[in-house]
């Protein structure tokens, strides 16, 4: 089957097997290896990406289901060499150890903050409950998400103009 999908602002058209998972398409065809294959059962969330602006587990979506859609991967969050505020907060707050869950955690966190720009600790934990981390115990992850929320508030600095980072740059007037 032929699909056309926009990934990180670039449109791709490819023939794919009807049974190819979106995570396989992103990694194997497009080289978007930041999208991690964790469990293949949608339990861990390591493969989380944004499909049309909302987080999904790409191991539970077929590539053909993404036909005509926009996908944002962890590679697509940074702009012009500057990390997204959530990426920066994960770095600043040491919210990663082995790094395996980090791309999915960041993608889910961006979606969480778009829906709830000022989550308390409980809201962060509930918003990330579909993503598993085996290293950190979530303390620094929660801290990072709350820190990112603080930095993304209007008037908080350069990040303030990033209202909804789920929107790919070309749709927001970028490249």
């Amino acid at each position: 089957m032929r699909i056309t999908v926009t990934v990180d602002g670039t449109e791709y058209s490819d023939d794919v097997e009807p049974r190819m998972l979106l995570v396989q398409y992103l990694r194997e065809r497009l080289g978007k290896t930041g999208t991690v294959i964790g469990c293949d059962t949608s339990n861990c969330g390591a493969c989380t990406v944004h499909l049309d602006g909302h987080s999904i587990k790409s191991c539970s979506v077929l590539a053909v289901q993404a036909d005509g859609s926009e996908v944002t991967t962890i590679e697509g969050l940074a702009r012009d060499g500057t990390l997204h505020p959530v990426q920066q907060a994960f770095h600043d707050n040491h919210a990663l150890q082995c790094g395996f869950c980090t791309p999915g955690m960041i993608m889910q966190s961006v979606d969480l903050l778009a829906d709830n720009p000022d989550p308390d600790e409980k809201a962060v934990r509930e918003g990330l409950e579909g993503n598993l981390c085996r290293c950190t115990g979530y303390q620094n992850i929660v801290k990072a998400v709350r820190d990112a929320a603080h930095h993304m508030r209007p008037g908080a600095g350069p990040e303030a103009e990033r209202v909804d980072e789920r929107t790919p740059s070309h749709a927001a007037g970028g490249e």
Side-chain angles (χ1 to χ4, degrees), residues 9-167:
T10 301
E11 185 175 283
Y12 299 90
S13 290
D14 288 300
D15 290 321
V16 298
E17 293 281 332
R19 65 179 180 255
M20 178 179 258
L21 296 172
L22 180 57
V23 69
Q24 294 168 319
Y25 177 72
L26 294 171
R27 289 179 59 82
E28 296 168 15
R29 293 281 181 91
L30 303 185
K32 301 289 184 174
T33 56
T35 302
V36 180
I37 296 174
C39 63
D40 279 335
T41 61
S42 76
N43 286 320
C44 74
C47 67
T48 301
V49 298
H50 294 170
L51 180 65
D52 292 329
H54 295 282
S55 62
I56 57 109
K57 295 176 181 176
S58 61
C59 73
S60 64
V61 174
L62 297 170
V64 296
Q65 291 175 291
D67 185 32
S69 295
E70 294 186 24
V71 176
T72 304
T73 69
I74 190 72
E75 291 96 338
L77 284 183
R79 301 279 191 261
D80 301 320
T82 301
L83 293 177
H84 181 280
V86 175
Q87 290 172 308
Q88 188 64 53
F90 267 62
H91 176 269
D92 294 345
N93 291 280
H94 310 288
L96 52 99
Q97 285 187 21
C98 79
F100 195 78
C101 73
T102 305
M105 284 286 187
I106 289 173
M107 297 305 290
Q108 183 64 30
S109 297
V110 170
D111 194 35
L112 167 68
L113 292 175
D115 290 338
N116 182 355
D118 190 22
D120 60 16
E121 180 177 338
K122 181 179 179 195
V124 172
R125 288 180 183 279
E126 287 175 359
L128 297 178
E129 68 185 3
N131 292 66
L132 302 177
C133 175
R134 293 177 176 96
C135 298
T136 69
Y138 300 94
Q139 298 298 69
N140 289 345
I141 292 171
V142 172
K143 184 178 171 186
V145 174
R146 298 199 65 219
D147 185 46
H150 172 76
H151 284 91
M152 292 170 68
R153 285 188 190 116
E159 294 85 12
E161 55 192 60
R162 298 177 185 207
V163 176
D164 187 348
E165 289 295 336
R166 295 181 298 184
T167 305

